[in-house]
Amino acid sequence: MSEAARKIIDSANELDRRISDFSDFSPNYDQLQKEYAQLALQPGSAVLIFAPNGIAFLFHWIAAIANGYVPCAIAPSTKTSLITALQKSLHIAAIVGPQLDPALYQAENFGKIGTFNVVVFDKTKPAYEPNDVLILTTGTSGQRTACVHTVDSLVCNASMTNKALNITANDKQLIVLPMYHTYGLVTQSIGAIISGCGLVIDGPPFNANRFARLIEKEDISIIAITPTIARDLLKRDIVLPAVRVISIGGDQVSPEEVTRFLSKPFVNELYITYGLTEAGPRVSFLPAHTAPVDKYDTVGIPFDGISTRIENPDVDGVGQLLVKTPSVCRRKVGSTINRQPFTSDGFLETGDLFIKDDAGYLRYVTRSADILFIKGEKLNARSIDAVAQSHPHVEFARTTINNVNLLVTRLWATDDKILDLDEVRRFMMSFLRLHEVPDNIIQETNAEFHK
Amino acid sequence: MNSIENRLKDILIIDLFIELEKNKILAAHSFRNDLGIDSIGFVELKSQVEKQFSIVIHDDDFTPDNFSTISSLTELINRYGKANGVRG
């Protein structure tokens, strides 16, 4: 076991002294670890953890690592059809979660671990190594895909953030972002574990006034929010208690929004961050409180130890950002991954177009046209198309965002059959998360398709 | 069955795509822990409740406590109903 994994596991027993999640029940970590051992899965077996934010989620994640298994966190709202597809695509050996219904998986081997249910797929052979961690990339690379990280790569990335933001045992972080996403899991949870700082886990639902009260009551010094939450706070002119550090990441923030945020009395240090799951996730950060105004439209400079370059820049200097980081994933996995996103000299292909200025600041130009932002969440439009196209009567599908920010899927039917769009919608709903379900589904004629 | 609870179960199944059968959804089930509702799900749940019960839920009431279970949400809807003269 690596030193990084040992550090995480050894910290588990003292975590409940510095973590709170407002639940009435805190699981016994040692007992959980024993119960995972009793599953007797082979080392390197992947375990899908299907749980809401909380200490219980974190303890299950650590206990899986301690037993040589490979944890994979997933949104608790994920539908059975997608979990079943992921189980096959990612070679998942067991699923655990509080609301898991073994009957939905026709499971013969099922039971309990702590208060969570567990279903074991006996015939699934391990596809990973102990010390690996799977992180899903359904929002960017499509359904049924994931990055194979190691505990070490995630600890390395969390350490870079801790160092850059000077996060220490004297701090206390508040998590409101989902812990199945890399920011909540790596940057905040693992970051808190290794820095020794306090951690308060809340939500959902997110409520700005409750957020403000928690910061005050819990004496929070570090918060992380998405641009969607930041815009909501600005729009409603919410005044938070002063915190030492606010970081905003996950999507673009405009220079005007940076300026407006900096003018708030509760903002001391404001960091705009950029990252992607493949990189572990954080790549660069802009300390906006000290940066020149003409850098507010950038995502700053890379963390120490990370190199970047622009691939084949055009006349304006725009090209794909390539990243070389010690926290990069080992590989990508999933049934739709047909090549690894690495150059021959070990740089990660981000798929994002950037300009890098003379001072090394990274200026975001655009993301892949396939990646859409809807209701504050990232989604891959081609994944939605793939789900629609798996319907037996759909030949082709194309999903876009219309001019009023609604998700629209246009369908072309096999042999121009008249589709029952309500039935197609129900079919798609059984695979998609709520924000991925199209607001409108429209049938087009094949004559149009073949033009 | 309480008609508000019944309508909430319909919202959970039809609008939030909860996979449990209606008769297996209990008033005491935790939206987060038992039904797996996440942040987007809570926003949708609030929006559907507002639409279907003709109420506007104040931001201060959109909390984990009020949106904990069908029972707690029913209580909240009843409070709004009394204030607005709306019946469940």
Side-chain angles (χ1 to χ4, degrees):
Chain A
M1 182 175 295
S2 74
E3 194 182 325
R6 177 51 57 203
K7 185 168 185 176
I8 299 276
I9 295 160
D10 286 348
S11 70
N13 273 315
E14 53 90 23
L15 276 183
D16 53 4
R17 287 198 295 275
R18 55 188 175 96
I19 297 189
S20 61
D21 67 358
F22 307 105
S23 63
D24 300 330
F25 173 76
S26 182
N28 177 314
Y29 174 75
D30 286 336
Q31 185 61 30
L32 277 186
Q33 190 176 323
K34 281 181 198 148
E35 290 178 17
Y36 269 96
Q38 285 162 7
L39 286 182
L41 301 175
Q42 293 181 58
S45 295
V47 176
L48 196 68
I49 304 175
F50 181 50
N53 273 15
I55 296 173
F57 162 77
L58 208 51
F59 278 9
H60 277 263
W61 192 85
I62 297 171
I65 290 169
N67 280 284
Y69 307 152
V70 178
C72 178
I74 190 167
S77 60
T78 311
K79 301 292 172 270
T80 307
S81 304
L82 178 56
I83 291 182
T84 303
L86 280 168
Q87 191 270 323
K88 293 188 176 80
S89 179
L90 301 180
H91 307 282
I92 302 292
I95 310 174
V96 297
Q99 79 276 19
L100 185 68
D101 180 359
L104 292 174
Y105 300 90
Q106 288 89 46
E108 292 174 3
N109 186 353
F110 58 89
K112 298 286 264 188
I113 296 185
T115 56
F116 286 13
N117 294 325
V118 58
V119 166
V120 177
F121 301 94
D122 292 312
K123 292 178 183 160
T124 305
K125 292 196 167 68
Y128 311 98
E129 303 286 329
N131 209 47
D132 282 348
V133 173
L134 281 177
I135 301 195
L136 295 174
T137 46
T138 50
T140 50
S141 303
Q143 288 193 316
R144 312 176 199 182
T145 64
C147 288
V148 183
H149 271 284
T150 61
V151 176
D152 299 60
S153 61
L154 302 181
V155 165
C156 170
N157 197 274
S159 301
M160 289 193 268
T161 300
N162 284 351
K163 186 178 168 200
L165 276 57
N166 193 28
I167 296 172
T168 69
N170 295 325
D171 284 306
K172 198 170 187 185
Q173 301 208 42
L174 173 58
I175 293 190
V176 292
L177 304 178
M179 292 167 73
Y180 51 84
H181 282 173
T182 47
Y183 208 101
L185 176 63
V186 181
T187 312
Q188 292 198 282
S189 302
I190 295 179
I193 290 171
I194 61 175
S195 72
C197 78
L199 188 64
V200 176
I201 304 169
D202 193 41
F206 177 80
N207 175 298
N209 291 325
R210 177 183 165 88
F211 189 54
R213 282 195 296 274
L214 279 180
I215 292 170
E216 179 86 53
K217 184 178 161 219
E218 299 288 335
D219 200 16
I220 298 294
S221 58
I222 316 267
I223 57 172
I225 53 178
T226 61
T228 306
I229 292 177
R231 282 177 203 120
D232 185 53
L233 295 175
L234 287 173
K235 187 175 145 196
R236 295 201 276 140
D237 204 18
I238 298 284
V239 177
L240 300 176
V243 290
R244 185 175 72 77
V245 167
I246 299 179
S247 59
I248 305 178
D251 190 19
Q252 283 179 278
V253 187
S254 72
E256 295 74 23
E257 288 165 338
V258 172
T259 304
R260 285 181 65 198
F261 229 80
L262 282 172
S263 72
K264 297 292 176 188
F266 54 85
V267 175
N268 289 303
E269 299 172 30
L270 176 65
Y271 297 90
I272 309 300
T273 66
Y274 165 76
L276 67 164
T277 301
E278 289 82 346
R282 296 295 104 193
V283 170
S284 72
F285 71 112
L286 175 78
H289 52 288
T290 56
V293 176
D294 67 346
K295 304 298 184 192
Y296 286 3
D297 62 342
T298 75
V299 291
I301 54 175
F303 289 106
D304 278 349
I306 296 182
S307 322
T308 59
R309 72 165 191 254
I310 304 295
E311 181 186 45
N312 301 326
D314 65 13
V315 289
D316 297 318
V318 178
Q320 180 183 210
L321 179 69
L322 302 179
V323 172
K324 187 178 265 187
T325 171
S327 60
V328 73
C329 67
R330 294 176 57 201
R331 65 184 192 278
K332 292 198 71 172
V333 288
S335 51
T336 55
I337 300 294
N338 47 29
R339 66 180 286 276
Q340 294 297 321
F342 305 111
T343 63
S344 56
D345 57 349
F347 276 77
L348 169 69
E349 298 167 346
T350 64
D352 293 326
L353 296 181
F354 271 86
I355 295 171
K356 186 175 179 178
D357 71 15
D358 292 341
Y361 284 81
L362 299 170
R363 194 165 272 107
Y364 197 78
V365 178
T366 185
R367 68 175 72 90
S368 156
D370 293 347
I371 308 299
L372 307 177
F373 251 88
I374 195 113
K375 296 167 190 162
E377 292 268 336
K378 234 179 238 178
L379 60 84
N380 185 315
R382 299 296 79 81
S383 292
I384 297 171
D385 296 341
V387 167
Q389 285 164 192
S390 67
H391 185 281
H393 301 315
V394 174
E395 183 177 344
F396 185 75
R398 186 53 75 199
T399 300
T400 52
I401 289 183
N402 71 7
N403 55 2
V404 287
N405 213 33
L406 293 177
L407 199 61
V408 179
T409 298
R410 294 181 299 140
L411 303 176
W412 286 263
T414 311
D415 301 327
D416 246 348
K417 198 183 287 282
I418 302 296
L419 295 170
D420 176 347
L421 295 181
D422 286 337
E423 186 274 325
V424 174
R425 183 179 177 78
R426 285 194 298 277
F427 174 85
M428 293 177 70
M429 277 160 41
S430 70
F431 287 91
L432 298 172
R433 291 186 60 209
L434 201 53
H435 65 287
E436 298 171 321
V437 177
D439 297 296
N440 292 325
I441 300 177
I442 299 164
Q443 180 168 4
E444 304 279 8
T445 65
N446 278 6
E448 191 66 25
F449 173 54
H450 291 297
K451 264 183 188 174
Chain B
M1 189 197 298
N2 176 317
S3 106
I4 295 179
E5 288 185 4
N6 193 40
R7 288 166 69 184
L8 286 175
K9 289 181 184 181
D10 286 337
I11 290 173
L12 291 170
I13 291 168
I14 296 165
D15 300 296
L16 276 82
F17 322 139
I18 297 299
E19 293 180 307
L20 277 181
E21 288 168 34
K22 191 168 175 178
N23 61 4
K24 289 188 177 167
I25 299 177
L26 306 178
H29 266 150
S30 159
F31 288 143
R32 279 182 65 204
N33 295 337
D34 299 317
L35 304 181
I37 295 177
D38 58 15
S39 48
I40 297 169
F42 279 109
V43 173
E44 181 67 19
L45 179 58
K46 174 176 178 274
S47 161
Q48 289 297 333
V49 166
E50 289 181 328
K51 194 159 89 182
Q52 299 195 26
F53 291 92
S54 303
I55 57 177
V56 177
I57 296 174
H58 191 273
D59 286 343
D60 276 346
D61 286 327
F62 187 41
T63 62
D65 293 336
N66 286 331
F67 281 71
S68 169
T69 62
I70 287 181
S71 293
S72 67
L73 188 51
T74 300
E75 277 178 34
L76 179 72
I77 294 166
N78 273 327
R79 285 208 303 274
Y80 275 87
K82 279 177 191 156
N84 298 349
V86 174
R87 284 184 300 161

